[in-house]
Amino acid sequence: MEVFSGQPPGSTEHRSAGRRRRGRTSLLDLRTVAGQVLLLQIVVVVLLVLAAVAAVVLQAAQNALREGRRESVVAAETFASAPGVARALQSRDPTAVLQPRTEAARKRSGVDFVVAMNTEGIRYTYPYPSEIGKKFVGTIGPALRGKTVVEQAGGPPLPTGRGTAVQAVVPVTDARGKVVGLVSAGITVRNVAALWLPELPITLGAGAAALALAVTGTALVSRRLLQQTRGLAPGELAELYEHHEAVLHAVREGVLITDAEGRLLLANEEAMRLLGLPDDARGRPVRELDLPEPVQRLLASREAVTDAVHLAGDRLLAVNKRPTYPRTGRGGSVVTLRDTTELAAITGRAEIAGQRLNLLYDAGVRVGTTLDVERTAQELADVAVPRFADLVTVDLLDAVLRGWEPTAEGWRHLRRAAIAGERRKVPVYPVGDVIDFSPLAPQMRTLQEGHGMLEADLRKAPGWWEQDPERARRALECGLRSLVTVPLRARGVPLGVANFYRRRESKPFEPDDLSFAEELAARAAVAIDNARRFTREHAMAVTLQRSLLPRGQPEQDALEVAWRYLPAEGGVGGDWFDVIPLPGARVALVMGDVVGRGLHAAATMGRLRTAVHNFATLDLPVDEVLGNLDDMVARMDNEEGAPEAAEGLEAGVVTGATCLYAVYDSVTGACTMARAGHPEPVLVTPDGAVACPGVPASAPLGLGGYPFETAELSLPEGSQLLLYTDGLVEDRGQDIDVGMERLRRALDGFGDRTPEEACRTVIDTLKPAHSSDDIALLAARTRRFPPSRVAEWDVPADPALVPAARARCRETLREWGLEEIGFTTELILSELVTNAIRYGSPPITVRLLHGRCLTCEVSDGSSTSPRLRRAATTDEGGRGLFLVAQFAQRWGTRYTSRGKVIWTEQLLHDGAASAAGHVPVDFLLKQFDDLEL
C-alpha cells in the first residue's frame, strides 16, 4: 500500500485555490474567525472603558462623601467644644450670642452650615435668619445620649443651594457632663463630575490605543493563519483531518512518516504495535527508538523500497517506502508495514503468557496498598476483572474481617467482602452478607481440601446447584458459564475463598487458568493476612486507649463540657484529655499528646493521665503539676533508654509529650492555665468573639530544667474554652497557622451555642478525609457559682469566738434548708476553726458553698498542714480531724499564695442533706479508749 501518491499539498491547484480564497477573505467579514475575534476584542475594549469610567465616577463620589463626613464632624465638634458655647445655650437669648459666632465658624471652616439648637431640636442659628426657631431636619436622639450622629439629610436652602447634605450632630455638655444643647455642621454634596471629567480623555485614549492594537494583531494573526492553512476554510481543515485520522486508524498496515533529518513525525497504532514503539516516540530521531538494526537502517536511509522483508522481534514485516515530496526534494519518507508472520497460534499463546505475567505483576503492585482487610479483598477482585474473569467475588471468614485468628469452627460462616465485574447482570450475594455454604459447594470443598477447584460448565456442577438452586438458575439465565474457586491461605491457615466466573461470551476456564488463579490468590492472601494482623493490633490499641480515656462526664458545677476523640487511620496515638472536679467548686481541664503511636504511646498516655489525677488530688498549682509531669516523663525516658529495658522495644523510643493544664474557679470566674509545648487553647466569649487567650508557651514535657509560665484569666459566664491536640489543625498538607485560621472561622459567632454543638461543628469542618494523627477535642462552657449559695466571713483568732462561727454556720444552713446536717456541719466547722486558731495564723476565713455537695472551707495564713493521727488514751487532743474524716465525705488541704485552705465535702441528695449512715459520735470517741486498737 502506498499513500500520498499523486499531487502533493503544495501543487499548483492548491496554491491557486488558496489565492482565490485569500482574495475573497476580509478582516471585517463576521463570517470569518478573524472578523469574530475582532468584534469580540472591540466589545471587550468598550466594556473595559465603560468600567474604568464608572470606577472613576464612583471613587470620586465616595471620596467627596468621605471628606464631607470628616469635615462635618470636625467642624461640629470644634464649635461644640469652643469656650462659652454651653453657657450661651443656657442664656436668655442664645441666638444673639451664637448667630455671629456660627457664621464666622462656617466661613472659617469651609462647611456650608453650622447650626446650634436646644435639646428639642429648635434652631438658634442658621445662615438664613428666617429659618431660626424652626425644627432641625435630622436625627438628634443619639446625640442627646452623648453620641455623635453623621447622616445624609435634606433641609432648608443654604448659601450653596438646595440639596442633600452630609451633616454631623454632636452634643454640647456643661461642666457636669449634662447635655444642654446640640451643634450640627454639614456640607452639601457637590457634583463630582469635575473630579472624573479630566481623566475621561486619558481613559478613552487608552481604549482607542488598545482597539488599534487589537485590530493590528488580529490582521497579522489572520494573515499568518491563511498562510499556514493554504487558504482552506476551518470546515475544510476539519474534514481533511478527519479523513486523515480515519485512514490511519482503519488500515491494517503500519504507517510511519519521517522528515529529512530522520525524526519520526507520525506513526499509527498498528505501526507502534508492530515495532513496539513507546508512546513518546513521535518527534524523536529513529536511531533513539531502540529498533532492530535492519529496520533502523531502512528508516534512516533515503532510498525507496518495495516489499522488502525484515525481521522485527518475532515478526516478519513486509516494508514499502516512498519519499513524501519527490518533486521538490525536501526530504522525508512514508513507510508502510505488513505483518506476514505465519505463526499466529504460537504468537497468540506467547501473548497470553505475557498478559498473565503482566497481570501477576499488577496484582503485586495493586493488591495490599493499604492495611484494610476489605479494601485488600476489593483490590484482588478489581485486578482480576476483566483481564482474567468477568465476575469475581471474595468471601472471607468472619473472624478474619474482625482481625481474629481464624478457626475451623467458623468455616461455615463466610462474609462477602468484595465484588467486581458485572454484578448488576448476575444475581450474587451482596457485600456484607453472611453466606452459609453447603458441604458440597465448591467454595466449602476448596476451603477444606486446601486447593482450587475448576467447574468448566456450571450446568454440570451439582454442588454449586445445591447451594441455592433458585439463585443458580437465575445466574445461568444471566450468562454465567464457568467457575474457578481457590482458597486464600497464609501461613497454612485458611482465610477465605476467591471465586472467578466467566460468562458465555468468554472462553471457559481451563486447567492452566486454575493454576494461575491459585498463584494470584496466594499473593493476595499474604496481603489480606497482614491487614488482618494490623486490624487486630489496631483494635487492641484502640481498646486500650479508649479504656484509659474518660467514659463519662464527672459530676461538677463549674463547667458544661463535651468532647470528641477520633483515632488516626494509621494507628492510635497518645492523645488524651480529662475533666477533674476539684474542691471549692473548681474543675481542672487537661489535654495532652504523647509522642509516638501504638500500644507504647497508649500505655504512656495512661501513666500520664493517672499521674495528672494524683497531682490534681494533691491540689498542686498549675505550674507545679506540669513540673512534676516533666520530671516523670524524663524518668520514663531514662528507664526506657537503659540497655536492659530497651530490649524488645522499638529502636529509638523517646517518651516526649505535650500537655495543657487549666483550673477554673466557678466562684471567682478565674481560670489559671499553663501549657508545655501544646497548642494554645481558643476562647469564645459570650458575644461570639474568637481569640487565643495568650497562654505563654513552655517547653514540652521531658526536656527538664525549664520553668512553666502560667496565665490567669477572668472568664465571663458563658465563655467557651476549646482544648485540642495538633491533629485537629495540622497535617501533612496543611500548616498549623492555616488550621488555626479555619478553627477560628468555624467558631465565629458561637457565643450562644452549647459545647456539644461546638464539638460537632468543629469536627465536621476541620476533620480531614484521611486523618494521619489522632484528634482530641474538649469544649467547656463556664458557669458561675450562684452568689446566694456562697457564704464567707472572717473569724478573729480568739478561741472564745468559735461559738459565734458555729451560730453563723447554723443560720446559713437554715437559710439554705439544710438543717438536717446542721449539727454535723457545726462540728466540722468548729474543729477546723479551732485548729486554725490554735496552729495557724491570721487571717482566718470561713467559706460555705452549697452546690451538688456542701463544701466547708477554713483558710488561714499558715502553711502548716494538719494530719490525721490516732490519739493515745492520755492525749487531751488529736481527735478532731478523726471526727472530721468520719462525718465528711472527703476532706483535704490545698495551699495558696497566702497560706492554706482546709476543706470538707458533705454529700447532698436532690439538693437536700443526707445524714444517714454516719457513725454516732460517742461510738467514735470510744474507739480511742479501746486498748486493742
Side-chain angles (χ1 to χ4, degrees), residues 59-375:
Q59 184 65 32
Q62 290 179 358
N63 292 340
L65 185 60
R66 190 183 303 111
E67 185 65 21
R69 286 173 174 267
R70 187 187 66 80
E71 293 181 2
S72 300
V73 172
V74 171
E77 290 184 349
T78 302
F79 189 81
S81 303
V85 173
R87 186 168 56 254
L89 287 171
Q90 294 174 322
S91 63
R92 289 187 174 183
D93 190 2
T95 301
V97 179
L98 296 176
Q99 176 68 7
R101 296 180 62 180
T102 57
E103 287 302 299
R106 176 177 67 83
K107 296 176 181 179
R108 288 195 305 272
S109 61
V111 298
D112 294 334
F113 65 88
V114 177
V115 177
M117 68 193 84
N118 61 12
T119 57
E120 296 180 356
I122 303 303
R123 300 190 191 97
Y124 287 149
T125 66
Y126 200 78
Y128 295 126
S130 60
E131 299 296 330
I132 296 175
K134 295 182 180 180
K135 187 71 173 182
F136 174 73
V137 178
T139 304
I140 64 174
L144 295 176
R145 295 191 295 272
K147 299 180 179 179
T148 298
V149 180
V150 181
E151 61 180 351
Q152 288 182 252
L158 293 169
T160 56
R162 182 182 295 273
T164 302
V166 178
Q167 61 187 18
V169 182
V170 300
V172 180
T173 58
D174 57 11
R176 293 174 297 178
K178 179 181 179 182
V179 177
V180 299
L182 305 173
V183 173
S184 174
I187 299 177
T188 302
V189 178
R190 295 176 174 84
N191 189 357
V192 299
L195 300 175
W196 60 269
L197 281 177
E199 301 182 10
L200 185 59
I202 300 176
T203 305
L204 294 178
L211 184 59
L213 182 61
V215 172
T216 303
T218 303
L220 295 176
V221 171
S222 176
R223 178 176 299 177
R224 180 63 176 172
L225 287 175
L226 289 174
Q227 293 176 354
Q228 293 291 334
T229 61
R230 302 184 184 276
L232 295 176
E236 294 173 329
L237 286 174
E239 184 179 0
L240 182 62
Y241 178 80
E242 290 173 357
H243 292 170
H244 173 265
E245 288 292 311
V247 170
L248 284 180
H249 294 292
V251 297
R252 294 298 298 169
E253 294 184 358
V255 178
L256 300 97
I257 300 179
T258 60
D259 63 4
E261 288 76 24
R263 287 193 300 269
L264 183 63
L265 300 181
L266 183 144
N268 67 352
E269 295 176 356
E270 185 69 7
M272 297 185 70
R273 185 185 70 84
L274 294 176
L275 297 178
L277 297 177
D279 294 336
D280 60 345
R282 183 174 180 180
R284 294 171 56 183
V286 174
R287 60 180 178 275
E288 296 180 4
L289 297 181
D290 195 20
L291 296 173
E293 180 62 27
V295 178
Q296 180 177 336
R297 185 169 58 252
L298 173 66
L299 296 178
S301 67
R302 295 188 178 184
E303 299 177 359
V305 175
T306 301
D307 292 333
V309 178
H310 292 274
L311 179 65
D314 56 354
R315 294 185 176 91
L316 293 176
L317 303 180
V319 183
N320 288 276
K321 182 180 179 183
R322 294 290 184 273
T324 52
Y325 303 106
R327 298 184 180 181
T328 60
R330 293 170 55 187
S333 59
V334 178
V335 180
T336 61
L337 308 170
R338 286 197 309 271
D339 187 4
T340 61
T341 305
E342 298 180 354
L343 303 177
I346 298 176
T347 303
R349 292 181 181 179
E351 290 180 356
I352 293 175
Q355 292 173 1
R356 294 287 174 83
L357 290 175
N358 290 335
L359 181 56
L360 288 176
Y361 173 78
D362 290 345
V365 174
R366 295 170 53 186
V367 178
T369 58
T370 65
L371 290 174
D372 182 85
V373 175
E374 295 183 4
R375 178 71 178 274

Side-chain angles (χ1 to χ4, degrees), residues 536-837:
R536 180 188 59 187
E537 295 180 2
H538 181 72
M540 292 172 56
V542 170
T543 302
L544 173 62
Q545 187 175 43
R546 290 192 181 278
S547 66
L548 297 175
L549 291 174
R551 300 266 181 109
Q553 296 191 9
E555 294 186 357
Q556 45 86 25
D557 299 315
L559 296 170
E560 178 186 357
V561 297
W563 58 66
R564 294 289 188 278
Y565 172 75
L566 303 176
E569 293 182 356
V572 297
D575 294 12
W576 95 93
F577 59 90
D578 222 329
V579 179
I580 307 174
L582 299 178
R586 297 173 302 130
V587 175
L589 299 177
V590 190
M591 181 66 68
D593 188 358
V594 176
V595 173
R597 295 190 177 283
L599 294 176
H600 174 75
T604 303
M605 177 270 289
R607 297 173 65 181
L608 293 181
R609 180 171 180 252
T610 302
V612 171
H613 269 272
N614 294 335
F615 297 146
T617 302
L618 297 175
D619 225 331
L620 299 177
V622 172
D623 55 340
E624 292 188 19
V625 170
L626 293 183
N628 289 328
L629 284 178
D630 183 51
D631 295 338
M632 179 179 177
V633 173
R635 288 196 303 272
M636 293 167 61
D637 281 341
N638 294 333
E639 293 172 359
E640 294 172 354
E644 60 276 7
E647 184 178 356
L649 295 178
E650 297 179 6
V653 171
V654 177
T655 311
T658 66
C659 184
L660 188 148
Y661 187 75
V663 175
Y664 173 68
D665 190 341
S666 64
V667 178
T668 63
C671 183
T672 305
M673 291 183 283
R675 59 189 179 110
H678 202 80
E680 189 173 8
V682 175
L683 175 63
V684 183
T685 57
D687 59 359
V690 182
C692 292
V695 182
S698 302
L701 301 177
L703 298 182
Y706 294 94
F708 296 97
E709 301 183 51
T710 61
E712 185 168 347
L713 310 174
S714 180
L715 302 181
E717 185 172 10
S719 301
Q720 285 204 45
L721 268 177
L722 270 88
L723 283 62
Y724 53 90
T725 54
D726 56 0
L728 180 69
V729 295
E730 184 180 20
D731 58 23
R732 297 173 183 174
Q734 173 181 277
D735 188 69
I736 189 171
D737 293 334
V738 178
M740 289 296 297
E741 182 60 30
R742 292 181 60 200
L743 177 60
R744 292 189 185 96
R745 289 198 301 267
L747 293 173
D748 192 19
F750 254 72
D752 57 344
R753 304 289 183 89
T754 64
E756 183 65 28
E757 293 175 328
C759 287
R760 182 167 55 251
T761 301
V762 169
I763 292 298
D764 292 344
T765 304
L766 275 73
K767 177 186 175 183
H770 301 285
S771 177
S772 60
D773 194 3
D774 291 7
I775 296 176
L777 174 65
L778 175 62
R781 184 163 63 179
T782 60
R783 298 170 177 161
R784 279 297 184 92
F785 205 87
S788 61
R789 297 279 182 109
V790 180
E792 185 175 6
W793 67 90
D794 295 331
V795 177
D798 185 357
L801 298 179
V802 173
R806 290 200 302 269
R808 185 162 183 179
C809 173
R810 183 167 53 254
E811 180 65 26
T812 302
L813 295 180
R814 186 181 301 111
E815 294 176 359
W816 290 344
L818 303 179
E819 295 91 343
E820 294 182 8
I821 59 170
F823 175 76
T824 304
T825 307
E826 289 182 43
L827 176 61
I828 293 173
L829 181 64
S830 176
E831 292 297 335
L832 296 183
V833 171
T834 302
N835 281 344
I837 294 174

Side-chain angles (χ1 to χ4, degrees), residues 377-402:
Q378 187 62 51
E379 290 171 346
L380 168 61
D382 291 338
V383 78
V385 175
R387 289 189 287 176
F388 179 68
D390 299 322
L391 175 66
V392 178
T393 63
V394 180
D395 304 323
L396 299 177
L397 298 175
D398 198 54
V400 174
L401 291 171
R402 299 175 183 270

Side-chain angles (χ1 to χ4, degrees), residues 881-925:
L881 285 181
F882 182 81
L883 294 175
V884 169
Q886 294 298 320
F887 282 104
Q889 179 70 19
R890 294 195 309 158
W891 76 281
T893 304
R894 73 172 182 268
Y895 296 94
T896 66
S897 59
R898 294 173 296 180
K900 68 175 182 299
V901 177
I902 305 176
W903 55 269
T904 64
E905 290 183 354
Q906 296 168 262
L907 290 181
L908 303 176
H909 297 286
D910 298 328
S914 177
H918 289 299
V919 182
V921 178
D922 294 339
F923 174 78
L924 293 173
L925 293 177

